[in-house]
Amino acid sequence: MIDNDWLEPMKPEFGKPYYRKLYETVLKEYRTRKIYPDPADIFNAFAFTPLAKVKVVILGQDPYHEPGQAHGLSFSVKPGVDIPPSLQNIYQELHEDLGCYIPNNGYLKKWADQGVMLLNTVLTVRAHEANSHRGIGWEEFTDAAIRVLNEQDRPMVFILWGRPAQNKAPMLTNPRFLILKSPHPSPLSAYRGFFGSKPFSKTNEFLRKNGIEPIDWQIENI
């Protein structure tokens, strides 16, 4: 299900005992319960943003767990789905930071297509049960992806919102990276320092400084 330039560096993971167990667990879950996202969407963060094109990584926790929301990109929802509160706050900060208008949808594929990898640390979830697939092996797999990114010899930005994402910071030892940390955009924590953190302008400033095309963060209305 990963068939671009991510496959080669991630291939060793597929042969490891933890991944075999993870695969069997996830297969059984999809057969016996309602699981999100759709199986074809699990690896979209890898499929939409090839390794060679990654400029920015926004690390999320696990997929949205209500019907029709999750499609394999952290914080993103499919067109026609209500914009979740965390993403509303992301849009609010984007508006304050760069003046982008707040769109009528939460479909962030435009970011992914420009090199913003929207990666969750856990890639599946049971319906209506947040964090229900934590600890079944996905963290090992996505840690491997973070290690692959850390080995890339080029400037990159990591946006770490909230403690679970910030716990990955020790893995990011590459001196060419910019690491931006703030509280999570969730309504529970956004007012503790997410608002006003200006991650989007800081990211573009860093990219420009390093001769890299900045991100067009504006998600258009549908």
Side-chain angles (χ1 to χ4, degrees):
M1 295 188 58
I2 295 177
D3 59 6
N4 58 12
D5 61 353
W6 274 106
L7 182 59
E8 200 53 43
M10 293 302 288
K11 201 185 278 181
E13 300 306 305
F14 299 123
K16 291 180 180 176
Y18 89 84
Y19 192 86
R20 170 54 49 191
K21 192 174 173 213
L22 169 65
Y23 180 83
E24 288 166 1
T25 302
V26 169
L27 205 59
K28 185 182 175 192
E29 287 280 288
Y30 272 100
R31 283 180 182 150
T32 57
R33 295 172 176 270
K34 186 66 187 166
I35 303 298
Y36 299 125
D38 183 279
D41 290 336
I42 291 174
F43 294 105
N44 276 350
F46 297 87
F48 292 167
T49 313
L51 177 58
K53 294 192 173 175
V54 177
K55 302 175 181 180
V56 182
V57 180
I58 299 180
L59 213 50
Q61 198 163 333
D62 69 332
Y64 293 124
H65 52 267
E66 296 303 324
Q69 292 181 315
H71 67 103
L73 301 182
S74 64
F75 297 103
S76 180
V77 291
K78 289 180 179 176
V81 176
D82 287 346
I83 301 170
S86 289
L87 184 51
Q88 289 178 20
N89 287 340
I90 290 169
Y91 282 164
Q92 185 61 42
E93 176 61 18
L94 182 54
H95 174 68
E96 298 292 331
D97 188 7
L98 289 177
C100 295
Y101 70 80
I102 295 174
N104 62 4
N105 68 93
Y107 192 51
L108 304 182
K109 185 173 181 289
K110 177 183 174 180
W111 293 359
D113 291 342
Q114 295 178 81
V116 181
M117 189 176 194
L118 297 164
L119 181 66
N120 281 315
T121 55
V122 173
L123 301 187
T124 54
V125 69
R126 287 179 184 170
H128 319 299
E129 292 182 50
N131 277 325
S132 45
H133 279 180
R134 183 174 57 191
I136 66 169
W138 280 127
E139 292 92 342
E140 256 185 273
F141 183 77
T142 54
D143 278 359
I146 292 168
R147 282 194 294 274
V148 168
L149 289 162
N150 192 57
E151 289 162 6
Q152 303 308 300
D153 186 25
R154 62 179 194 273
M156 225 179 273
V157 183
F158 280 77
I159 298 176
L160 308 179
W161 289 327
R163 189 162 294 130
Q166 289 171 22
N167 286 343
K168 305 296 181 184
M171 300 174 67
L172 302 171
T173 58
N174 192 320
R176 304 190 72 185
F177 291 173
L178 172 67
I179 298 170
L180 298 175
K181 300 180 191 176
S182 82
H184 196 274
S186 151
L188 299 171
S189 55
Y191 287 93
R192 294 190 208 133
F194 171 75
F195 288 129
S197 61
K198 301 189 181 301
F200 308 102
S201 59
K202 287 175 181 173
T203 293
N204 279 355
E205 187 185 342
F206 176 83
L207 294 175
R208 280 193 200 95
K209 205 178 282 181
N210 284 281
I212 300 166
E213 182 79 20
I215 306 299
D216 175 7
W217 293 103
Q218 179 69 68
I219 300 294
E220 282 84 14
N221 284 334
I222 292 176

